[in-house]
Amino acid sequence: MLENTQIERLEAESVNSAKARPPLYAPRKKVYPKRASGSFRRFKWLVMAITLGIYYLTPWLRWDRGPFAPDQAVLVDLANRRFYFFFIEIWPQEFYYVAGLLVMAGIGLFLVTSTVGRAWCGYTCPQTVWVDLFLVVERAIEGDRNARMKLDAGPWTARKLMLRVSNHAIWLVIGTATGGAWIFYFADAPKLIGEVFTGTAAPVGYITIAVLTATTYTFGGLMREQVCTYMCPWPRIQAAMLDENSLTVTYNDWRGEPRSRHAKKVQAAGQLVGDCVDCNTCVAVCPMGIDIRDGQQLECITCALCIDACGSVMAKLGKERGLISYATLSDYNANMAVATGGGSSAAKPSLVRTADGAFADRLAHFHIRKIFRPRTFVYMGAWSAVGLALLYSLLTRERLEVNVLHDRNPQFVALSDGSIRNGYTVKLLNMIPEPRTIVVTMQGLPEAEMSVVGIDLPADRSFAIAVEPDRLKMLKVFVRQPAEQIKGQAQTFKFRVEDKASFESDEYTATFNAPEIVR
């Protein structure tokens, strides 16, 4: 067990210290995050590996859809206006599924934020993930915090130049891989990667790679925390999502203050002393460069690295972890009331501990029940409702559709035998990757018959039409009705389409126009 004075005090100052707030338009103070270790850091490694693995590997997954459809599991086929996601195929007119997923993502973000604060920002946001990846490279080449600060402050030498060139070169490779992986979602990945390296890919592919390389390199390597502080709107929105029962990273000053590096001397002098030894480790590991001891701040992304750092210091001192912890505002206020005797004095460590040094039973502790409250149930209900609606629609949707467009000019033609003919454009939509024979039948209009342009068969009330897989087939159809059967200037009838093999069918109600004199 170490003494307070044996804990190294790091010369780390937050970029927005509460003691000296910088002006809004101030030059950037570079942040040198120190490597942290602990359970939250390990969790972030796991999340980073999973998210990067999903992003880089997904375009290479295969999914057999038969000989008439691409076998890439996830593909945005802009040329054919299709979106493939494993066994799901989305057509342009079904974009509401994508809109529904975006709504679910928004509600899910509200749910997560109201429950556990900015967990999205701290663990899964692409900015956070790629900055973590860039920091891994930077630490591997230039060293940890002190080494990087020393390198920056030193003169330009051959070693410094070599380190910087190596570091930035790898960043550019990562940026290029990021842009390259993105374009693989829009074309067959194995084929496209060959075209990219042989110079035969479309110009838009190289432009996309260049743009994403530049943005990844700039945001992940150069701007870093500035993207979260100045460019991202979410820190400003999150305040509306939080309440007194939301979990946030909190410095428990009810047990940490007053802080001191010389606890024994201060106690011998009869003064109060808290658990914080003012080592600044929490500031040194923060990727945003803030001091959590100044309270909740816009810049905090709730990555919890300060919890790991402070916890390791408390363990070395033989004290309970949790000086910095995930806590709710209601628990914090309750414990602060205990530490201050109901607000009658400054925080006193003696009020939160028993005579043997253990924490008092009156202190509030977090329990999982606290995050289940009406607000979270409303968010969960809305999220589930949207998801179930999408799932039901997906499972019950028809993969055969018909749409009919009546000729606008002329709306009808009077034939030499006195009968009236109307023209229609009938669109048959086969939405599965298999060829189909679709039976088109006319229902209604007594004694009327139809003929299909391009099909050399006598006029009839039904035709069998071959439709290619995953294709729209347009037919020019003429419907003729004898004059004596016409009952009005506008009559309705139906085009019915049916696949006898799958028993799928669809109908469209059309109008048959006739001149007024025929009535």
Side-chain angles (χ1 to χ4, degrees):
M1 187 183 304
L2 301 181
E3 298 290 339
N4 289 20
T5 54
Q6 293 178 286
I7 299 296
E8 178 188 6
R9 189 178 195 276
L10 301 175
E11 295 302 322
E13 183 180 357
S14 65
V15 296
N16 64 343
S17 174
K19 300 176 182 177
R21 290 285 185 187
L24 180 61
Y25 300 102
R28 180 199 181 206
K29 294 174 64 176
K30 187 173 181 179
V31 178
Y32 301 88
K34 179 181 173 62
R35 178 163 185 167
S37 59
S39 56
F40 289 106
R41 177 65 268 183
R42 288 191 294 272
F43 181 65
K44 281 175 65 68
W45 288 134
L46 177 63
V47 172
M48 184 178 78
I50 292 174
T51 52
L52 289 176
I54 291 173
Y55 177 74
Y56 286 115
L57 298 180
T58 296
W60 303 95
L61 299 179
R62 303 291 101 183
W63 188 268
D64 184 14
R65 300 185 181 91
F68 302 104
D71 65 349
Q72 187 161 309
V74 179
L75 177 65
V76 182
D77 189 355
L78 295 178
N80 295 304
R81 292 178 293 180
R82 305 284 189 279
F83 171 50
Y84 297 96
F85 185 81
F86 293 93
F87 63 91
I88 300 173
E89 179 182 354
I90 303 297
W91 285 60
Q93 67 270 26
E94 296 177 315
F95 192 78
Y96 54 83
Y97 287 112
V98 179
L101 289 176
L102 292 177
V103 171
M104 288 186 67
I107 297 175
L109 192 56
F110 295 161
L111 171 62
V112 170
T113 302
S114 67
T115 305
V116 291
R118 291 175 63 185
W120 161 261
C121 299
Y123 299 98
T124 55
C125 173
Q127 175 67 15
T128 298
V129 172
W130 262 267
V131 167
D132 266 357
L133 180 59
F134 277 43
L135 281 172
V136 169
V137 175
E138 188 174 50
R139 290 193 186 105
I141 294 176
E142 298 183 4
D144 205 358
R145 183 175 186 272
N146 291 340
R148 300 200 305 275
M149 293 176 66
K150 183 178 179 181
L151 187 67
D152 267 2
W156 280 96
T157 62
R159 176 180 177 275
K160 181 175 180 177
L161 180 62
M162 180 188 67
L163 292 178
R164 286 294 159 84
V165 169
S166 301
N167 186 37
H168 286 261
I170 296 177
W171 284 356
L172 287 171
V173 170
I174 294 173
T176 304
T178 302
W182 178 256
I183 67 171
F184 293 150
Y185 284 90
F186 297 87
D188 184 63
K191 179 181 178 182
L192 182 56
I193 192 172
E195 294 176 348
V196 168
F197 281 105
T198 57
T200 58
V204 68
Y206 295 106
I207 293 172
T208 302
I209 293 175
V211 170
L212 290 180
T213 298
T215 52
T216 304
Y217 172 79
T218 303
F219 292 165
L222 305 181
M223 296 184 66
R224 292 186 177 173
E225 77 285 349
Q226 291 183 303
V227 173
C228 304
T229 303
Y230 299 110
M231 297 176 63
C232 181
W234 188 237
R236 292 152 182 83
I237 299 173
Q238 65 149 353
M241 301 290 104
L242 300 175
D243 59 26
E244 65 276 6
N245 291 310
S246 301
L247 276 176
T248 58
V249 174
T250 304
Y251 169 61
N252 297 305
D253 51 357
W254 50 266
R255 64 167 278 198
E257 299 296 324
R259 65 189 76 161
S260 174
R261 290 188 54 77
H262 305 282
K264 290 184 177 180
K265 293 182 180 179
V266 173
Q267 288 174 332
Q271 298 178 9
L272 300 176
V273 61
D275 287 346
C276 180
V277 296
D278 202 20
C279 63
N280 288 335
T281 303
C282 55
V283 182
V285 299
C286 180
M288 299 299 293
I290 66 172
D291 190 342
I292 193 62
R293 296 173 296 181
D294 290 336
Q296 277 295 309
Q297 298 154 70
L298 175 148
E299 295 86 353
C300 179
I301 60 172
T302 319
C303 65
L305 295 182
C306 54
I307 297 179
D308 282 340
C310 184
S312 65
V313 172
M314 291 296 105
K316 293 176 183 177
L317 294 172
K319 298 181 179 180
E320 300 90 340
R321 294 173 180 265
L323 178 57
I324 301 175
S325 66
Y326 271 106
T328 66
L329 181 60
S330 59
D331 286 347
Y332 171 83
N333 287 337
N335 292 337
M336 182 58 77
V338 172
T340 59
S344 60
S345 65
K348 296 180 180 179
S350 59
L351 295 179
V352 298
R353 293 185 183 273
T354 59
D356 59 358
F359 283 122
D361 293 336
R362 294 176 297 166
L363 293 176
H365 300 281
F366 173 75
H367 192 279
I368 192 68
R369 293 193 306 267
K370 295 182 180 180
I371 67 174
F372 294 106
R373 54 195 191 279
R375 183 175 189 171
T376 54
F377 283 122
V378 169
Y379 285 140
M380 290 175 68
W383 186 86
S384 300
V386 175
L388 290 174
L390 289 177
L391 181 61
Y392 175 79
S393 176
L394 191 66
L395 294 176
T396 59
R397 64 178 179 165
E398 295 289 344
R399 310 313 291 150
L400 174 64
E401 291 185 6
V402 61
N403 194 14
V404 179
L405 182 64
H406 194 290
D407 287 354
R408 300 186 64 180
N409 188 22
Q411 292 194 356
F412 57 85
V413 173
L415 302 179
S416 58
D417 61 356
S419 61
I420 301 300
R421 188 182 73 185
N422 282 204
Y424 303 88
T425 300
V426 178
K427 299 178 181 180
L428 304 179
L429 191 59
N430 177 17
M431 302 171 70
I432 64 173
E434 298 175 7
R436 279 175 156 183
T437 299
I438 307 300
V439 178
V440 181
T441 306
M442 186 176 64
Q443 296 179 340
L445 289 182
E447 296 189 26
E449 56 187 12
M450 63 179 175
S451 57
V452 181
V453 175
I455 297 181
D456 191 17
L457 290 173
D460 202 346
R461 294 183 66 86
S462 181
F463 286 93
I465 308 295
V467 183
E468 295 178 353
D470 256 340
R471 286 294 180 268
L472 171 70
K473 189 174 185 68
M474 297 179 62
L475 304 174
K476 186 62 179 179
V477 177
F478 291 107
V479 175
R480 184 183 66 83
Q481 186 179 31
E484 62 272 12
Q485 295 295 329
I486 296 177
K487 306 301 182 184
Q489 190 174 357
Q491 304 174 82
T492 60
F493 70 101
K494 291 182 179 179
F495 283 105
R496 177 180 174 81
V497 297
E498 184 177 7
D499 179 7
K500 300 293 186 180
S502 64
F503 303 104
E504 285 187 276
S505 63
D506 193 21
E507 293 181 347
Y508 188 94
T509 301
T511 301
F512 186 86
N513 296 327
E516 188 173 358
I517 58 173
V518 176
R519 283 189 308 171

